[in-house]
Amino acid sequence: MHFSELPLDKTILKAINEIGYSTPTPIQEKTIPLILENKDLIASAQTGTGKTAAFALPIIEKLIWNQNSKKKGKKIRALIVSPTRELAVQIQDDFKTYGKYTNLRTTVVFGGTSIEPQKEILNKGVDVLIATPGRLLDLRKQEILSLSHIQTLVLDEADLMLDMGFIADVKKIEALCPKKKQTLLFSATIPEKIDQLANRILKSPIKIEI
Ligand code: AMP
């Protein structure tokens, strides 16, 4: 399969062509059409399988569809929750690369660093936010951001979030987002607790194993 066979906007195809991707990886082939159909997914996939693009490309595509519907000021419409700063920054870099020819705005927030610059960027408005759980809840508590326009929530490396003790925070974050949204859960392994979390927050999820 070639990327051009997937229903992705030409601006996205141009960006991925430029970085030299020619064919989608197996997880991308499976997830991209399902995410575009607004399905909830639970995917077991390791880092290195191309899982970031597997959710980033269809999220960008869906944001492009509605790009001009609201001119008032950007609202966060896609939220990616990541356990570590390094991973969050990597996801942000990937969104920037794939969305290079769109006018979507992406930012990343994480703890262990000054909150003020993050507030400034958020105040200007972003479409896609990548965040570690604690800092996200801090910013929400300070009313710097709203999660009430989230259309797609991604929980990345869910098993790592469990190991790091973030599951209560993840549940809080999910509850702060609208009920009607798409939720995508990615995890290298699916231990019992992650399965329980998925059963609680995903709607008729499709299971994908790579
Ligand atoms: P990830 O699993 O998201 O950490 O991605 C692993 C690596 O694969 C990253 O360096 C990506 O840039 C790269 N990658 C993702 N999708 C593709 C693709 N379809 N073709 C070639 N490389 C890719």
Side-chain angles (χ1 to χ4, degrees):
M1 191 190 220
H2 193 270
F3 267 113
S4 56
E5 290 170 61
L6 288 166
L8 295 172
D9 191 78
K10 58 182 186 315
T11 56
I12 300 176
L13 294 175
K14 185 177 173 191
I16 55 184
N17 186 45
E18 251 179 39
I19 51 170
Y21 300 179
S22 53
T23 54
T25 65
I27 189 164
Q28 291 164 4
E29 251 186 60
K30 283 192 182 171
T31 60
I32 291 172
L34 295 169
I35 296 173
L36 291 173
E37 285 172 34
N38 282 323
K39 304 284 187 210
D40 278 10
L41 302 184
I42 171 163
S44 56
Q46 315 268 350
T47 297
T49 53
K51 70 178 170 67
T52 312
F55 62 78
L57 298 177
I59 285 176
I60 295 169
E61 174 70 23
K62 291 201 292 176
L63 293 174
I64 292 173
W65 294 346
N66 303 314
Q67 194 154 235
N68 299 317
S69 61
K70 279 208 182 85
K71 294 216 163 118
K72 271 191 191 160
K74 289 184 179 279
K75 305 265 195 301
I76 303 166
R77 290 179 290 155
L79 171 66
I80 294 86
V81 184
S82 157
T84 68
R85 165 190 181 145
E86 292 72 22
L87 199 66
V89 168
Q90 182 58 52
I91 297 169
Q92 139 96 338
D93 288 347
D94 288 354
F95 265 95
K96 286 225 153 132
T97 303
Y98 307 142
K100 184 175 169 192
Y101 297 107
T102 69
N103 54 28
L104 297 171
R105 290 165 62 126
T106 305
T107 198
V108 60
V109 297
F110 43 76
T113 180
S114 168
I115 201 165
E116 294 306 320
Q118 299 178 353
K119 286 184 184 172
E120 266 173 48
I121 295 173
L122 287 167
N123 278 333
K124 288 186 192 144
V126 297
D127 300 286
V128 180
L129 178 66
I130 300 109
T132 53
R135 179 56 57 97
L136 178 68
L137 286 173
D138 258 8
L139 287 158
R140 171 64 178 63
K141 207 168 156 193
Q142 295 185 36
E143 296 182 357
I144 302 301
L145 56 82
S146 157
L147 300 179
S148 52
H149 293 86
I150 299 294
Q151 295 163 358
T152 304
L153 168 67
V154 181
L155 305 175
D156 195 23
E157 307 260 350
D159 50 356
L160 200 54
M161 292 209 267
L162 174 72
D163 292 345
M164 294 173 74
F166 288 143
I167 291 301
D169 281 355
V170 167
K171 285 181 185 162
K172 263 188 227 161
I173 291 165
E174 192 276 334
L176 289 166
C177 296
K179 271 217 163 68
K180 188 174 172 288
K181 65 179 172 304
Q182 178 180 45
T183 307
L184 310 171
L185 188 152
F186 287 79
S187 200
T189 59
I190 315 282
E192 179 68 27
K193 285 229 163 105
I194 293 300
D195 208 38
Q196 283 168 6
L197 176 74
N199 284 331
R200 180 170 153 170
I201 65 176
L202 304 187
K203 291 180 264 349
S204 314
I206 297 173
K207 274 200 173 161
I208 292 177
E209 278 173 55
I210 295 296

